[in-house]
Each structure stands twice: as C-alpha cells, then as structure tokens.
Amino acid sequence: MFFPSAIVLGIAAILDALVGDPWSWPHPVQLMGKAIALGTRLILKFTNSPLGQRLGGIALALTIVGGSALVSNRIISIARLVHPILGIGVESILLASCFAGKSLRDAAVDVLTPLQAGEIETARENLSKYVGRDTADLNEVEILRAVLETVAENAIDGVSAPLFYAILGALIPGLGSAPVAFAYKAASTLDSTIGYRELPYLYIGWFSAKLEDLLTWVPCRLTVITLSLFSGRPRQVWQVCQRDATADPSPNSGWSECVYAAILGVQLGGENTYGGIVKVKPLLGDRIHPITLESIHRALSLTRWCFLVWLGLGIGIGWIVNNYRLI
C-alpha cells in the first residue's frame, strides 16, 4: 500500500522541477514577508529597548513559524474535506512552493547566459537580483564565484532542508509534509528578512537568526555527508570542511559552501563589497581549479542528485513505516 505522503512528495518534486516559482505567481513567502514587515514595524513603534525588541522578535518569530504551519495545515484539511484527491493536490502545490531547486537553476542560468555571450553588464545586472554584494564592478571571475557561492549556500535552505522537514513531517503521524516544511520555510524567511547583526534588526532578528541556524544544522550536515559520498573521497572532503568551514561566522553556510568547494577543487570566499564597504569572508577550499561555467553546472547537478536520493530514501522509509503501522 502506497501512503498519501509519498504521492505528495513525488508530485511536489515534479512540480518544482517543471514549474518552479514563476515571478508573476503569488507565493507564500511573499505573504510571510509582508507579515514579518508588519510585525517588525509594530515592534519598532512600541519599544526602543534591546530587551523589548528581543522579546518582540521572539514573539514575532514564533507567530510566523507557528502560524505558517497552522494555516497550511488548515488549508489542506479543508481541501481534504471536499475530496481526498483535492487534499493531495493542494498539499502537493503548497509543498512544491517550499522547494527552490528550479528557481536556483534558473537564477544561475539568468546570470551565466549573458556572461557566456560576453554581455558582462547584463550579467552584473542580473546577478544583483540574487546577491547582496555590489555587482557593478565585478569581473567575470568574480561573477562566477558569486554565482557558485549563491548556488552552494542556497542548496541547503532552498532545497535539502525543506525536503528534510517535509520527509520528517510525512513520517510523524498528525503533522504532514507541507505544514512542517512551511514552518522551516517561515524560519528561513525570517532569517533572510530580519536576521541581520545590525540595526534596526540587531535585537528583533536575534532569535530568528538563532532559530534558523538550529533548524538548518542537521540537514546541513546530512547534505555535506551525502555530497561527500557522491565525490568518492568523503574523508578528504570532510577534512577540508572541518579545516575551513568552522572559520565562517555562520554555523551552516560555511559548511554548505565549503563542501562544494572541496568537491569541485575550487576556492570560495574572499573580498566582497556591500554598499561600498569591503568585507572579507574566510577562504573555503583549495584553489586547485578555476571556477568555470562547468563548475557551477556540476554544483547544480550535485544538488539535484542529493535531492533525488533523499526523496527516494524518504519515500522508501515512509513506505516501510506505513506498512509497519498496518501490521
């Protein structure tokens, strides 16, 4: 007997691969962003103290994360009452919105296509839509590094981590794939919106940043292990990550970027400029090869295979657990 969550996982994966997140379509993350912005304005309006803003930030984060899970669960429950097939369809669409595999590939292609055609100004302009660093003066080598760093960092919070929590939700009775993945997506959105170590978000976003770090820790390490096994030299890749990733202030993004750098034999990190201010990130990996278009396509392929392997394992484990319950 095939369990409904397996169907949901499969349909969501196909939808993400074929459709992704079209810019013109409404997206749940947009609603999360508006709610976060409203909550942030209210907190800043009513309190100026660090303690008050920390407490407000905690309340905001718990409300957004819990509310995202509850609202998605309610929508799916209503759809199921109308018809079980409608419930599967709605949950599949909601879950697909949590995955960013196609969006990540499309973003890379959006930059690499004009770069390959020699249109560096267009490549810089397109890159500015996806990264926070200044792009106006980047040369081809720096653009390639920026794209690879973006692909490597977002492989976790945009691909493997949502799938990890979707599988977890599918395996635990009463939760469901989409609500748990939505909760993680909300935490990730909070971090990317207000999880900055600077005013006015320094105190408001403190809890959101810590929560996202905590929730991403396990899927990040599992991703590193999976990709290390794909490389055929897991011990060497892991040693490079242990050597370099710990120097990054983030407990996860350093590992995410470093595993790709180690597998591809390239070096990430170094100087970036943000609003005219130069910031130096730790160097990750060894500069054995230059970063090329092929490097980025290999990174995207590694991410895709990691997703597919996890998807297969999740469906397989779910099938075993479901049949065990029926015995």
Side-chain angles (χ1 to χ4, degrees), residues 221 240-251 254-255 258 282-284:
R221 269 62 183 178
V240 173
C241 290
Q242 284 187 313
R243 183 194 71 193
D244 296 342
T246 53
D248 194 286
S250 168
W255 283 84
C258 195
L283 295 175
L284 306 173

Side-chain angles (χ1 to χ4, degrees), residues 68-282:
S68 297
L70 290 173
V71 169
S72 60
N73 181 268
R74 186 58 180 163
I75 292 172
I76 294 165
S77 297
I78 293 172
R80 285 174 179 166
L81 288 176
V82 176
H83 196 281
I85 294 179
L86 180 62
I88 290 175
V90 169
E91 184 171 8
S92 299
I93 293 171
L94 290 175
L95 180 58
S97 72
C98 295
F99 300 148
K102 186 175 187 299
S103 298
L104 195 56
R105 293 193 300 274
D106 290 346
V109 170
D110 190 36
V111 179
L112 297 180
T113 299
L115 185 65
Q116 195 170 16
E119 302 169 0
I120 193 166
E121 289 296 336
T122 303
R124 290 167 177 163
E125 182 179 345
N126 290 353
L127 178 63
S128 67
K129 296 184 293 187
Y130 309 110
V131 300
R133 72 192 70 181
D134 299 340
T135 64
D137 298 319
L138 296 184
N139 59 35
E140 181 176 344
V141 172
E142 292 168 328
I143 291 173
L144 288 171
R145 176 167 68 86
V147 174
L148 183 54
E149 288 174 351
T150 300
V151 167
E153 182 176 358
N154 288 283
I156 305 296
D157 56 15
V159 181
S160 58
L163 178 59
F164 172 84
Y165 284 103
I167 293 171
L168 186 66
L171 295 177
I172 300 177
L175 292 182
S177 295
V180 179
F182 254 73
Y184 174 77
K185 200 68 177 180
S188 179
T189 304
L190 279 158
D191 179 56
S192 62
T193 305
I194 61 174
Y196 298 104
R197 297 180 180 180
E198 56 188 35
L199 294 173
Y201 307 115
L202 180 61
Y203 304 112
I204 295 175
W206 167 80
F207 180 78
S208 294
K210 295 297 183 183
L211 178 63
E212 198 273 345
D213 285 344
L214 178 64
L215 293 177
T216 305
W217 198 93
V218 170
C220 178
R221 269 62 183 178
L222 290 177
T223 302
V224 171
I225 292 171
T226 303
L227 295 179
S228 298
L229 292 172
F230 286 170
S231 74
R233 40 191 177 86
R235 178 176 295 181
Q236 180 183 347
V237 170
W238 186 264
Q239 287 174 343
V240 173
C241 290
Q242 284 187 313
R243 183 194 71 193
D244 296 342
T246 53
D248 194 286
S250 168
N252 298 309
S253 64
W255 283 84
S256 179
E257 293 183 30
C258 195
V259 68
Y260 284 90
I263 292 173
L264 299 172
V266 301
Q267 190 171 73
L268 300 178
E271 288 189 0
N272 296 322
T273 304
Y274 300 86
I277 301 173
V278 176
K279 296 184 179 180
V280 180
K281 294 188 65 177

Side-chain angles (χ1 to χ4, degrees), residues 14 18 96 109 181 234 241 300:
I14 293 171
L18 297 179
V109 170
C241 290
L300 290 168

Side-chain angles (χ1 to χ4, degrees), residues 10-33:
I11 294 175
I14 293 171
L15 286 174
D16 177 61
L18 297 179
V19 181
D21 297 320
W23 287 89
S24 59
W25 292 16
H27 196 283
V29 170
Q30 296 174 345
L31 296 177
M32 293 177 190

